[in-house]
Amino acid sequence: MATNFSGQKNLTKGGLTGNLIRFAVPFLLANLLQALYGAVDLWVVGRFGGGKVGVASVSNGSEVMHLVMAFIMGLTTGATVLIGQFFGAGDKRNTSRSVGMTLSFSTLMGIAATLAMVLLSPLLVSALHTPQEAAKDTLSYLEICSWGILFIFGYNALSAIFRGFGNSLAPLVFVGIACVGNIIGDFLLVAVFSCGVPGAAYATIASQALSMILALAYLKYGGFGFQFALPNFRIVWRLVWRYLQIGLPIAIQGVLISLSFLFIVSIVNAMGGSDSAPAAGYGIVNRINGFAMLPAISFSMAMAAITAQNIGANRPVRAIKTLWLAVAITMTLGFFFLVAFQTIPDKLVALFIDRNGDGASDVIHAGALYARSFSWEYILVPIVFCTNGFFNGCGRTLFSMSNNLFCTFVIRVPVSYFFSTMAGATLSHVGFAAPLASFTSSIIALIYLLSGLWRAPKKTH
């Protein structure tokens, strides 16, 4: 009974399609809910808490918090792979040790990251060239959200642990709780009590805290075999080193890629000068993009856990067959998003702002321009993301990091800047840089996959 309640699943057996779909769909739904409560912040503020200035503030602040989230999610993926490999190999002792190490180490990292972000927030707002009319609210949003970093670390560490055990349903439940809490908080603090941008930030950290506390209770009482006794939280540095070997390259990759998005935000802000319309339009498209990217992101996360267990069980052929299946599914879904962004981008952007508000038409126009050129990304990222998940599950996180950073900083950022400086440049020109970078990254990933270098033995004990 306890084992069933824990939701542990051996992903090295059973049908490939059924395993992939059943394991990936909770990832998809969890990421959908996470994107939803981020989008609700933007929608509620855009409708009830400041129009284009409020949207620009939340958009700029959210981009910085995405950088933090990318680091945390990347680092804790190390726990998913580490626990998944031990669990797949049937090594209960090291599985339990890895759980305790993940919780203790994540707490220390969460405290350090909170202090760093609180201190750096003013510098980051300035570095983004945030429009002057939105700078104060952006700083307020960022400072408040920074105090919730410990909760973000805790939730993601717990989710990584559950996924390592083959349980992708629990993270879905807890992010769903966070989503509902955030939506209720947004409407109460922003729409009812008129707290504006700070209200959206307070609603976010309160919902994150609730989600983390409930996830911790589930780990304790859910039958995972981990005892909440002080010695079990001891940091085993041998495991920390392996955890960092796997997770740190993903975290660094996530941070630097998010940093590249901040560079592009800065480019977009500079294109608008004192007008926040381009920043607001770009920010809205990025929120919608958060939904459109969900299939590729979710199947990538699923691939990391599935591959980790199969590599631990010495079943690499099964893992690679699952990879091709994941690429086919996500590319098909990406095509539908491409069609939507090519045909009705203005209608999608208009959902997030009052059409009768000041500068709304400019925001909608800028967002639609960016959406049409950027949307070619949706049929390319399935290869990038799914192969990343596969290589990460193999422990080849250094390759994934190198490939993605090369394509981001050698292609995407320079091309975005170059296009923005052209005479008559619009967000349409800037948007083409993303699919160009993803095309290059896909080619490199496929060459590495076909080379077989990812098969080289890697010690897990």
Side-chain angles (χ1 to χ4, degrees):
M1 179 72 72
T3 301
N4 290 336
F5 184 55
S6 73
Q8 297 177 27
K9 182 173 177 57
N10 189 325
L11 300 170
T12 66
K13 301 175 181 178
L16 295 180
T17 305
N19 255 354
L20 177 62
I21 297 296
R22 282 192 298 270
F23 194 65
V25 166
F27 276 92
L28 179 61
L29 295 176
N31 286 328
L32 174 63
L33 290 172
Q34 204 149 22
L36 178 62
Y37 82 70
V40 168
D41 278 352
L42 201 68
W43 185 83
V44 172
V45 168
R47 293 283 179 167
F48 305 105
K52 71 171 184 177
V53 174
V55 168
S57 300
V58 172
S59 173
N60 277 269
S62 295
E63 288 295 336
V64 177
M65 290 308 298
H66 284 164
L67 184 150
V68 178
M69 282 286 293
F71 175 81
I72 294 171
M73 292 179 69
L75 190 66
T76 55
T77 298
T80 295
V81 175
L82 188 65
I83 293 169
Q85 289 184 353
F86 284 136
F87 183 70
D91 188 343
K92 294 181 179 179
R93 183 166 176 262
N94 276 318
T95 298
S96 183
R97 283 182 168 183
S98 298
V99 171
M101 176 276 296
T102 298
L103 294 174
S104 299
F105 192 67
S106 295
T107 299
L108 295 177
M109 292 296 293
I111 293 170
T114 297
L115 295 176
M117 278 300 300
V118 170
L119 294 174
L120 291 174
S121 290
L123 179 62
L124 290 169
V125 172
S126 175
L128 284 175
H129 298 107
T130 305
Q132 186 174 358
E133 61 183 356
K136 182 180 177 181
D137 278 346
T138 300
L139 179 59
S140 177
Y141 182 86
L142 193 53
E143 287 178 335
I144 295 167
C145 285
S146 294
W147 289 107
I149 290 176
L150 182 60
F151 306 134
I152 300 173
F153 242 112
Y155 163 75
N156 280 279
L158 289 159
S159 294
I161 290 169
F162 300 145
R163 287 163 180 157
F165 281 112
N167 182 344
S168 58
L169 183 60
L172 166 62
V173 172
F174 297 119
V175 78
I177 293 169
C179 180
V180 172
N182 186 69
I183 291 173
I184 293 171
D186 275 339
F187 277 100
L188 284 176
L189 295 177
V190 180
V192 177
F193 294 109
S194 302
C195 295
V197 171
Y202 282 121
T204 296
I205 64 171
S207 63
Q208 289 164 346
L210 175 63
S211 180
M212 186 200 76
I213 292 169
L214 294 176
L216 194 61
Y218 179 59
L219 177 65
K220 183 175 182 178
Y221 300 110
F224 288 89
F226 178 75
Q227 300 298 316
F228 274 65
L230 191 59
N232 294 333
F233 289 93
R234 183 169 61 92
I235 296 179
V236 181
W237 291 106
R238 172 179 59 84
L239 294 177
V240 170
W241 174 241
R242 180 65 182 133
Y243 171 83
L244 292 176
Q245 280 183 310
I246 299 169
L248 197 56
I250 307 175
I252 293 172
Q253 170 188 318
V255 167
L256 292 179
I257 289 177
S258 293
L259 190 61
S260 76
F261 278 96
L262 292 182
F263 288 153
I264 296 171
V265 168
S266 181
I267 290 169
V268 171
N269 286 340
M271 289 176 72
S274 60
D275 182 12
S276 57
Y282 172 83
I284 289 173
V285 173
N286 269 356
R287 282 299 190 200
I288 302 171
N289 178 53
F291 291 97
M293 290 289 188
L294 287 181
I297 293 172
S298 303
F299 276 76
S300 172
M301 296 169 71
M303 279 304 307
I306 292 171
T307 303
Q309 284 199 17
N310 280 281
I311 293 297
N314 196 28
R315 303 194 68 181
V317 174
R318 179 181 173 86
I320 201 167
K321 286 181 178 178
T322 307
L323 165 64
W324 292 122
L325 183 61
V327 170
I329 293 171
T330 53
M331 191 172 288
T332 300
L333 295 173
F335 176 77
F336 291 103
F337 287 112
L338 169 64
V339 171
F341 269 83
Q342 289 295 318
T343 55
I344 54 168
D346 52 337
K347 291 181 174 59
L348 295 172
V349 174
L351 293 173
F352 287 82
I353 194 165
D354 181 1
R355 282 182 176 271
N356 298 317
D358 179 39
S361 60
D362 293 334
V363 172
I364 294 170
H365 177 67
L369 286 175
Y370 183 75
R372 280 201 174 96
S373 56
F374 177 90
S375 59
W376 294 102
E377 177 90 330
Y378 300 134
I379 57 173
L380 294 169
V381 293
I383 298 175
V384 178
F385 280 58
C386 291
T387 54
N388 279 347
F390 176 82
F391 295 137
N392 291 341
C394 292
R396 302 298 178 215
T397 56
L398 187 59
F399 168 77
S400 296
M401 180 188 76
S402 302
N403 179 22
N404 286 290
L405 294 186
F406 170 79
C407 293
T408 296
F409 288 99
V410 176
I411 299 176
R412 181 170 187 173
V413 172
V415 169
S416 295
Y417 178 74
F418 174 75
F419 283 164
S420 74
T421 60
M422 294 170 57
T426 66
L427 291 187
S428 177
H429 298 88
V430 176
F432 278 116
L436 179 60
S438 290
F439 176 77
T440 307
S441 181
S442 298
I443 296 300
I444 295 172
L446 290 174
I447 291 172
Y448 184 73
L449 180 69
L450 295 174
S451 74
L453 293 174
W454 54 271
R455 294 176 179 269
K458 197 84 170 178
K459 292 179 67 177
T460 59
H461 297 271

